[in-house]
Amino acid sequence: MPDRFDMLHLVGLLVVAGGLLLLVLTPQPEAGAMHGGRLDRAMEKQMLARARTDFLKQTYAPVVDLTASGEYAAALLKLKELGREYPGEPHGDILRGEILLAQQAWQPATASFVRGVKGNGDYVDAKSPLSRYESISRVVDEGLRQVGAQVKQHPDNSSLQETMRDLYYLQSRLAGGCE
Amino acid sequence: MKLSSFLITLLLLIALSLLAGCQPETERPTYTIGYMNCNSEAETIQRFQPLTRYLGEKLGVNFKLVPVDTQDFPERFKAGEFDFTHTNSLLYIILHKEAGLSLVATERRGEYGSRTAGAIISRKGSGIKTIDDMKGKRMLFGPQLAPSGFLAQYDLMLQAGFDPETDLSYYGIPHGSFKHEKVVYGVYFGAYDVAAAPALDLETMAAEGKIRADDFNIIGQSRIFPYCTFGAAKRLDTDLVNRFQRALLELTPEVTVELDGEVVKVLDGAWVDGFDQLVDSDYDPLREMARRANMPPYQEF
Amino acid sequence: MPTLDRHFWLVIVASLALGIAGVGLAVAGNPENSGICISCFLENSAGALGLHDNARMQYLRPEIIGFVLGAVLSAGLFREFNSRGGSAPLVRLLAGIFLMIGCGVFIGCPIKLFLRLTAGDLTSLAGLAGLVAGVWIGLRGLAAGIHFGRAEKQRGSGWWIPCLGVALLLFYLFRPGFLLFSTSGSAAQHAPMLLSLGAGLLLGMLAQRSRFCITGSIRDSFLMRGRTPLLWGLLVFVVVAVGFNLFSGQFRLGMYGQPGAHLQHFWSFAGMALVGWLSVLIGGCPFRQLIKAGEGDADAGLVVIGMVIGGGLVQAWGLTATAAGVPFYGKVATLVGFLFLLTNSLLWRDRTS
């Protein structure tokens, strides 16, 4: 049989549980703020992501334009100049990879893509607004074919092996899985 | 055996084995590395002293650093003055063809890694945007044996049907050191209409804030080809060359050596990002350029 | 051959379900080869709770909640809920953290190891060798007298993980503002909610009834050879998963370019060896710890809490491997894990017998 001590605790339990239920179920300014807080937070995250995407697109637009018109050397120079303001920015690495690839510079292109993807995994997400899934896939497919053939001819060449490791890294990231 | 005597014996053995591994520097064989001067002897010595020290420590031999002027290199190498060479890629193909120099490793520096390219530039607003626009203009080149400061641009013009010897009103090569920077500034300050600038120098100057990308029109840029190259004389022992190559390829930015009481980062000191192992056929694009431009080692009179 | 009794068939059904769910959830939206991965899911959940700031690894995985609540339901229905605890609590909590380090270094828990293997990922072979070696070493330890002490009946302790499971379910359903959910990266990849939760509940119930455990299967195979139903269960899981992977086009045999895998085989081996060894000493793999916590085992509950903390730490401190390899501090943490194991093996050894 519960004694007085137990009864007191049982009553306390019921009262606190009831209070908690009331608190959660009754629309309170705090609850509204909590709900609003979630919305704000989600929106804030999205806004930040979009702002970042827009900022990158706007900042690197001259590089993209020069690349599109085939002025690769000028594009690289512009990228170098931007690198003074935004050193280590993965978007620069990705654009550099694309330019170098267009110039058939496989090794530095692959290394540049690797730096970019390590810096920001969004580039290998097919659905991301920053996605470079298609172009990185092409790098990997073509790279494995070309560099793979060279490795067969020169199996002891450590630089080719390094590029193969980079290509496998990109291939693995494109394949997905947990990070 | 008691633990204390066991430990003492162990320590003695370790000390002995360490001492046995050390060979006094005076008893080591000495090899010579000829380094092509880019700007000046003093700069060459300053740049490559840490790397040379590192190689000596790594291989357990003495290396002597010898700065060499570009035009003297082939003759002195053929005379057997150098065991290893560090030259631009054009000198490498010359010495490979004429004296059997073998490829060891290629320097990695800048956007193209172990490759580089040559560009033709004009000042923005000059109206010179294509090679055709260069007709009758004044042009400044880098040194004649510079693959990315002379050969690449010369070939680029020839391939576009433009003969630099007749179609330019004048072309020249600056005097003294820092020729590549002088070339870029020559156009920037309007002393010349167009210039032959190595892609790497443009890149470095942009990164250092000396120039802005928008200051210039890049009229054209060559295909990429290998950058500065370490080579080995054919008389050398294969094992030594392999160890030399491995030591270069294993270099990371963190590797340091002690030089005159100072700890110096080897790659930083040499202005190099690292070394790559290329194969001789990677130099074929440069050979094609030299053939087309009638330059060494394929020039015909 | 094992006895073909009710328990045997329960193990077979549980393994069948695990194979189908393991591949099926990945087909339905979970990351590749990660239809079920206890360590990945705990890292995601720790991120959702704000325990780390990797914005690509934050999602409260309903499968984890399902495993615990499924085990609670099953244990309640079949009167197997038994609140107990008190066996080396702090050691178990720390063991949970080191389990996550071992899994992080390999990239996946023992279930994911088999899911990776059955999808053709040959890099997981090093992990498999490590897991088997770890289990074998752990068994040698048990035989030599290592024991963390007997658990006792504790009326209060065993309820708290089930309560935590309910709380997390409410969080998942009502999504209070403090929860974080990734919008990109692997945590943004997930199967539909009801499917994940349903699969979790079903597997939780079946695993509770069958006592299915990956490291337990290997351990029992060492002890009982073919007589243990768990070995047959493991085989069924592997065969079903291979078949489903082949059927769904997710099978890619090879060493290179595999999803969520790296090429540092020694560290894959070491990571899984750590997990195997720890699992034997604490009585089950990470999955089994969740199930045991659901049936009132507070000691397993502490391992689960340790795994959640570990899930936060491995991400916050950058200990987990990526496709690029194992980071320096991940290697250090793995070796510290072995130090932890060796020290405890010395301290907890009963030398009287």
Side-chain angles (χ1 to χ4, degrees), chain B residues 12 26 84 89 117 142 171-172 179 187 215 236 243 254 269 271 273:
Chain B
L12 278 172
T26 46
F84 292 95
S89 45
Y171 76 78
K179 286 187 172 67
V187 166
D215 293 338
L236 292 177
R243 285 194 298 132
E254 293 77 34
W271 309 349
D273 297 331

Side-chain angles (χ1 to χ4, degrees), chain A residues 17 43 47 52 69 79 91 101 122 142 150 156-157 171:
Chain A
M43 189 182 272
M47 278 169 66
R52 180 179 156 74
S69 59
L79 208 50
H91 200 67
L101 193 68
D122 283 0
E142 187 64 16
Q150 285 178 285
D156 298 329
N157 189 305
Q171 192 185 28

Side-chain angles (χ1 to χ4, degrees), chain A residues 38 45 122 125 172 177 179, chain C residues 32 56 175 181 184-185 258:
Chain A
R38 174 169 72 86
K45 268 180 93 172
D122 283 0
D125 284 351
S172 185
E179 291 157 41
Chain C
E32 288 75 6
R56 297 168 61 80
R175 312 230 166 163
F181 288 93
S184 65
Q258 294 288 351

Side-chain angles (χ1 to χ4, degrees), chain B residues 87-98 101 151 280 283-284 286-288 290 296-298:
Chain B
T87 62
N88 67 35
S89 45
L90 180 58
L91 262 184
Y92 161 74
I93 61 170
I94 294 171
L95 297 177
H96 176 78
K97 185 166 188 289
E98 294 176 356
L101 182 77
L151 172 60
D280 184 68
Y283 290 73
D284 288 348
L286 194 63
R287 291 187 171 105
E288 287 163 25
Y298 303 107

Side-chain angles (χ1 to χ4, degrees), chain B residues 62-73:
Chain B
N62 291 330
F63 280 115
K64 190 176 155 202
L65 185 165
V66 183
V68 192
D69 280 339
T70 312
Q71 66 277 8
D72 299 339
F73 218 116

Side-chain angles (χ1 to χ4, degrees), chain C residues 253-312:
Chain C
L253 187 70
M255 184 73 86
Y256 303 106
Q258 294 288 351
H262 61 79
L263 296 167
Q264 294 185 334
H265 306 306
F266 171 78
W267 292 103
S268 289
F269 178 92
M272 272 295 118
L274 182 64
V275 172
W277 190 349
L278 277 166
S279 296
V280 170
L281 294 188
I282 61 174
C285 66
F287 177 61
R288 180 80 187 125
Q289 298 295 331
L290 286 167
I291 303 300
K292 281 165 73 174
E295 49 183 40
D297 185 340
D299 292 331
L302 269 173
V303 177
V304 171
I305 299 286
M307 290 197 295
V308 174
I309 297 171

